[in-house]
Amino acid sequence: MTIGPGSLILILIMALLIFGPKKLPQLGRAAGDTLREFKNATEGLADENNENKKDQEGK
């Protein structure tokens, strides 16, 4: 299931009505920060996983 351009516009209009124009940039910034932290956390887990595999192969 994909989101078409019409659905995306409807979602953006609803968000604008619910949160208002002053709050939307703050929400977008918070969402970006959350995604960045999630990415950093998962990269750390992947690095630890790779280190564990190298340690097991070396034994």
Side-chain angles (χ1 to χ4, degrees):
M1 183 175 162
T2 60
I3 297 177
S7 299
L8 187 59
I9 291 171
L10 181 63
I11 291 169
L12 291 174
I13 290 172
M14 291 302 297
L16 184 63
L17 289 173
I18 292 171
F19 297 111
K22 292 183 181 180
K23 194 74 168 174
L24 282 181
Q26 294 172 355
L27 292 172
R29 196 172 302 116
D33 291 343
T34 301
L35 288 174
R36 190 176 307 113
E37 288 295 322
F38 180 75
K39 180 181 173 187
N40 291 339
T42 56
E43 285 177 355
L45 290 174
D47 291 341
E48 289 176 7
N49 192 17
N50 289 337
E51 289 176 8
N52 289 337
K53 285 183 181 179
K54 288 179 184 177
D55 289 342
Q56 290 176 355
E57 291 174 358
K59 290 182 179 180

